[in-house]
Amino acid sequence: MRKYLICHSPLHSAEKFFRPPSEEKSTDDFIEEQKAKATEEGVESVTDGMTPEEQRDAASQAKWLQPSNDDPRLKAGLTLAVFFCIWVFLLTLSIMGTGFKLLGGKSSAKMFDVADNPISALLIGVLATVLVQSSSTSTSIIISMVGADELSANIAIFMIMGANIGTSVTNTIVAMGHFNNPDDLRRGFAAATVHDCFNMLNVAVFLPLNWIYPFLEKMTYEMAKDQEPCDGDKCEKTEFLKPYISPYSKGVANYNKDVAKAITQNYCAGKCDTSISSSGMKLVSKEVCVEDADGNFDCSGVHANYESNWMSKGYLYKKRAPGYIVGTASGSLAEFHYDKPATGCSDAVDFFADDEYTSTVAGSLTTGTCYKVCAKVKKDCEKRLLKGGLTLDKWDMTDDGAGTFLTIISLISLCSCLFCIVYMLQIILKGTAARVLQKVVGLNGYLNIAIGTFITIMVQSSSITTSTLTPLAAVGIITLKDMFPLTLGANIGTTLTGIMGATVVTSNPVQAWQVALSHLFFNIFGTLLWYPIPKMREVPLKCARFLGKCTAHPEYGRLFPLVYISMAFFIIPGIAYGIASA
């Protein structure tokens, strides 16, 4: 009895089908054999009316549906090997992010400071996400900066839009691993760039709307206005996957986040690492700040690095407390110092008398006398970005050297993992497994959105979700139409990381929640705009197909992916950052 393998196509009915080939053949030979058999049996060929590209895609998909005679034990072993390769893939992404951050140097931590309009904020969001290889990480940094009052919610929302675009660079790089097969490259690049197309179209619509009228900011303010700052031991963000990746990544290269945080939050002059009470900070403010008749303090003259966020509740924030103050003539403000003054401070007097931060000298400082205010002042900006791991402890590399080494090694490892995963999946996902997978992802687009959301919530990275699915689309198991809703779900799922980051903000929680919720609704509104209506859905799909076809161009096809990635994710955002910081 002859077995027929049905190849479902969005353009053709199930009556048109591929028969099993007599032996393993190339795609073109496979198509010719199907035409010949269909003619012989008097049945309409599945390839009738198809373009050559559609014929090859259908043939590639049909090959996966052929019955497999491989030993189940082999498949079980390869399945475990695939999971191991995925873990190595995730570890490689983490190391690549560290490499990019080290290459960027300390100046890359200042990039958020130069954003002063929506366009520069958008492109800096793209560049920052490319550097850390994760929108979850970049959005968490942005939200923490908003929580520390280092960044306004309005500018941060546009940065979040840029982060959405930047996160798609990883799976676009993954698609380049299929250079050896033009059809796989075309399918893979289209599946990867449907993420880019959706995000760019989304930004093209919502950036100008939110620029004209900040509806995201206003809507989320009403939702978040009653949020209270996190306090106590509960202020730790939940991590699902990071505990299984981070220790090994840090074993290779441990990036000093304290340095980057100190730079972004303007603590390079000094940061008081002693928790001085509010009443104690009022006493300090009275000595170094100008107080008006209503009891309000103007501390703008305390230090050259002073910014408005140095204030909290009307007086100096406790982390901005000076290391030392020096008494001056009556009626003048005390001198403000983070470092111990070189002269006249050999025997400093304690400004505070006890652990309750009361003072017996406040209001009556002796001229020329040095008073110790903060017991411990940190200067993290002076430290190296690389603080541990093999690259420092064993190989004693410089920051730039380690960054270059890690970037090259991680790219090689990324391609190697991709090759191994694709090779093993070709054995595992043949026959029944391929049919089940195709039925699940082809059942309903909205179910795919839910699947993509769930997977991304579990791994806390849309890059991981889309980068794992891209090879499956490249070899023909998942179609572009099925890949699109999975990508939409990944975009929604990645917003959970930002929301969890907002829950642990210890100050300015309302604006932090505004940014996190804006990220969520930006993706939800985009999904509602570009997916439910078929004609709207075709716009990002046609964009992705066009980009995929560009890789098949006989002259510049092989160069196109590299040029596209360089221009979209590095050169244009980099030029914008250079102009903004000039």
Side-chain angles (χ1 to χ4, degrees), residues 3 40 65 146 176 185 213-214 258 267 319 423 426 462 476 486 514 542:
K3 294 182 181 179
E40 180 184 334
L65 303 178
V146 172
M176 291 174 63
L185 178 62
Y213 181 78
D258 290 339
Y267 281 115
K319 291 183 180 180
Y423 180 80
Q426 287 176 341
S462 60
L486 289 167
Q514 280 183 267
K542 285 181 178 178

Side-chain angles (χ1 to χ4, degrees), residues 341-554:
T343 58
C345 203
S346 55
D347 297 315
V349 178
D350 288 333
F351 182 78
F352 295 114
D354 50 41
D355 292 339
E356 300 297 322
Y357 296 102
T358 60
S359 178
T360 57
V361 298
S364 57
L365 301 184
T366 303
T367 303
T369 301
C370 185
Y371 298 89
K372 188 175 181 62
V373 178
C374 179
K376 183 180 179 183
V377 174
K378 293 174 65 177
K379 289 202 169 186
D380 290 325
C381 295
E382 298 172 357
K383 299 177 182 177
R384 287 185 58 178
L385 286 171
L386 185 64
K387 70 173 183 179
L390 284 173
T391 49
L392 179 66
D393 300 337
K394 297 292 185 182
W395 302 330
D396 196 25
M397 288 185 171
T398 63
D399 289 356
D400 289 340
T404 303
F405 172 75
L406 293 174
T407 301
I408 294 171
I409 290 298
S410 57
L411 284 171
I412 295 171
S413 177
L414 206 65
C415 293
S416 301
C417 286
L418 175 64
F419 173 80
C420 293
I421 290 171
V422 171
Y423 180 80
M424 289 185 286
L425 286 177
Q426 287 176 341
I427 299 173
I428 298 168
L429 291 178
K430 260 193 174 182
T432 304
R435 289 194 194 94
V436 171
L437 180 61
Q438 287 185 357
K439 283 182 179 179
V440 170
V441 299
L443 185 64
N444 185 281
Y446 297 99
L447 176 62
N448 283 1
I449 293 175
I451 292 171
T453 302
F454 175 76
I455 293 173
T456 306
I457 288 173
M458 290 295 100
V459 300
Q460 289 190 291
S461 173
S462 60
S463 298
I464 293 170
T465 305
T466 55
S467 296
T468 305
L469 293 172
T470 295
L472 299 181
V475 296
I477 298 180
I478 299 176
T479 65
L480 180 62
K481 284 193 173 182
D482 293 331
M483 181 71 177
F484 183 38
L486 289 167
T487 296
L488 297 180
N491 264 9
I492 294 171
T494 196
T495 62
L496 179 68
T497 306
I499 291 172
M500 290 193 298
T503 63
V504 299
V505 168
T506 55
S507 62
N508 204 16
V510 174
Q511 287 198 343
W513 270 97
Q514 280 183 267
V515 176
L517 291 173
S518 293
H519 191 197
L520 172 64
F521 284 107
F522 172 70
N523 284 298
I524 289 177
F525 291 158
T527 301
L528 294 175
L529 175 63
W530 297 107
Y531 191 74
I533 303 172
K535 286 188 177 180
M536 296 294 287
R537 189 187 310 159
E538 278 300 311
V539 177
L541 288 173
K542 285 181 178 178
C543 169
R545 288 191 192 103
F546 171 76
L547 292 173
K549 287 179 180 178
C550 287
T551 65
H553 192 278

Side-chain angles (χ1 to χ4, degrees), residues 287-300:
E287 300 296 342
V288 297
C289 305
V290 177
E291 185 177 9
D292 62 20
D294 297 325
N296 299 316
F297 294 106
D298 176 9
C299 301
S300 57

Side-chain angles (χ1 to χ4, degrees), residues 138-175:
S138 61
T139 52
S140 294
I141 293 170
I142 292 167
I143 288 167
S144 66
M145 289 180 66
V146 172
D149 206 20
E150 295 289 335
L151 197 62
S152 70
N154 179 265
I155 289 295
I157 288 170
F158 294 108
M159 284 187 178
I160 292 292
M161 294 181 184
N164 247 38
I165 295 174
T167 191
S168 56
V169 67
T170 308
N171 59 316
T172 310
I173 292 173
V174 166

